[in-house]
Amino acid sequence: MGCSSSKDGPTVVANVKAVHNPDSTWHAPVARALCASGGGSRALSYTMGVYRGLNELNLIPKLDAISSVSGGTWCSSIFMFAKSYKGNAVTTVDLVGADTTPQLLTMSELSKAPGAIASGIVQGDADKILAELGLEFVGREYEVWPHVMSRWLLRDFDSLKELTSYMALDDEAVSRIKAANPQLEKKTFVTPRSDRPKMYIMCATVLAPLNYLATSSNAVSFQQMPDYIGSPFYPNDQQVKYQKAALCGCDENLYKCCKTTRTVGGGFVESFAFGGEAPQKQSGG
């Protein structure tokens, strides 16, 4: 348990999980999992087809976990969280599309609207949306990509497109979080569908601090889940070293300003509390 705050917000009470090495196990055992790789729109389309096939074979209930990255996450996040589309409740078939028979896929059949997961990427307006947002967020370019996802990929998925929503594991977790943090009572939380695997991991990478170089030797695993977000264990059981980018202009062999060492990893904090400052008080973890 920890208490932390953001620079502009109040203190929140959240659980933390210590994970100090790759062998740490703090979740339920996983026997069958699906991993969805990246590749932008093509990865989304391919992954949607995989989910369609699994649904047709009634194998989704047998999955214990889903792990995804990049374009695979574009698809899997909607698959996991979407409960409504354009204001109406959606089934798994609505999301991934109806079963198909290859020899019956005529051009007329292929021209029909795809499963709801792909509804955003087939509109042909990604460049237009990106250009508009580039002008809207001049000087704050780091805000462009989240808004692209909201206006492009998630445009018709109600609460999923809201950038101020929080994640939680289920309704019980939402009730607990709001009871411990009354200031969040009116906030929107998104939770996974009840007919999905209990574990979902959206994988990413922690690169280098601003103005430092990211390399294969200092990239660190970053994992986002409905209930927790963080970097599990310490990479190679040691601190991470970064080299100043070329704009520093000094001799890296002579000046320490060119290098920095940071402690990265070691565990997770509940998703709704991620992004705050270090805990003011902490017990356990």
Side-chain angles (χ1 to χ4, degrees):
M1 180 72 71
C3 298
S4 67
S5 64
S6 66
K7 294 181 180 179
D8 302 315
T11 298
V12 296
V13 179
N15 290 323
V16 294
K17 293 284 189 181
V19 184
H20 297 307
N21 61 71
D23 297 323
S24 298
T25 54
W26 53 274
H27 51 71
V30 173
R32 294 171 294 273
L34 180 144
C35 298
S37 63
S41 298
R42 289 173 296 180
L44 181 149
S45 301
Y46 175 82
T47 304
M48 187 175 73
V50 170
Y51 287 135
R52 180 187 298 177
L54 291 174
N55 187 57
E56 181 181 358
L57 296 171
N58 197 32
L59 292 177
I60 291 174
K62 298 183 181 298
L63 289 176
D64 299 312
I66 292 174
S67 174
S68 63
V69 63
S70 195
T73 296
W74 295 3
C75 177
S76 299
S77 58
I78 298 175
F79 179 76
M80 286 293 301
F81 286 98
K83 300 173 184 176
S84 62
Y85 173 70
K86 294 185 176 181
N88 299 310
V90 285
T91 65
T92 296
V93 172
D94 294 329
L95 290 171
V96 302
D99 302 341
T100 57
T101 302
Q103 58 266 36
L104 299 180
L105 290 179
T106 62
M107 293 305 298
S108 174
E109 188 69 22
L110 289 172
S111 66
K112 293 181 179 179
I117 286 176
S119 61
I121 68 171
V122 299
Q123 299 301 317
D125 55 1
D127 289 343
K128 178 176 179 291
I129 292 173
L130 181 59
E132 291 173 349
L133 290 170
L135 293 174
E136 183 177 341
F137 292 99
V138 172
R140 308 196 321 274
E141 286 76 11
Y142 55 86
E143 294 190 45
V144 170
W145 190 244
H147 283 84
V148 167
M149 291 292 101
S150 175
R151 296 188 194 180
W152 176 59
L153 181 68
L154 303 173
R155 69 184 82 191
D156 292 315
F157 286 100
D158 306 324
S159 63
L160 298 189
K161 65 183 179 183
E162 300 300 327
L163 298 180
T164 57
S165 297
Y166 295 92
M167 289 192 299
L169 185 61
D170 50 33
D171 290 341
E172 182 179 348
V174 173
S175 297
R176 173 183 56 78
I177 291 168
K178 290 185 174 182
N181 302 277
Q183 71 274 23
L184 300 179
E185 178 59 37
K186 296 183 179 180
K187 297 296 185 180
T188 299
F189 280 75
V190 294
T191 58
R193 295 171 58 104
S194 59
D195 56 351
R196 297 293 186 258
K198 296 300 182 183
M199 182 181 296
Y200 175 46
I201 305 172
M202 294 171 277
C203 300
T205 304
V206 175
L207 300 178
L210 186 64
N211 296 331
Y212 285 83
L213 296 173
T215 69
S216 59
S217 63
N218 60 25
V220 179
S221 171
F222 181 65
Q223 300 181 4
Q224 305 156 86
M225 296 169 282
D227 46 353
Y228 286 94
I229 293 178
S231 295
F233 53 89
Y234 299 109
N236 300 318
D237 200 28
Q238 60 187 7
Q239 290 182 302
V240 184
K241 298 179 180 180
Y242 302 97
Q243 174 69 46
K244 197 83 169 186
L247 56 85
C248 176
C250 67
D251 186 333
E252 63 182 80
N253 296 314
L254 298 177
Y255 299 98
K256 292 182 179 179
C257 70
C258 287
K259 301 177 181 179
T260 188
T261 301
R262 303 284 179 88
T263 299
V264 184
F268 298 87
V269 64
E270 282 194 274
S271 300
F272 79 93
F274 179 79
E277 296 181 329
Q280 298 173 358
K281 298 178 182 179
Q282 181 174 330
S283 62

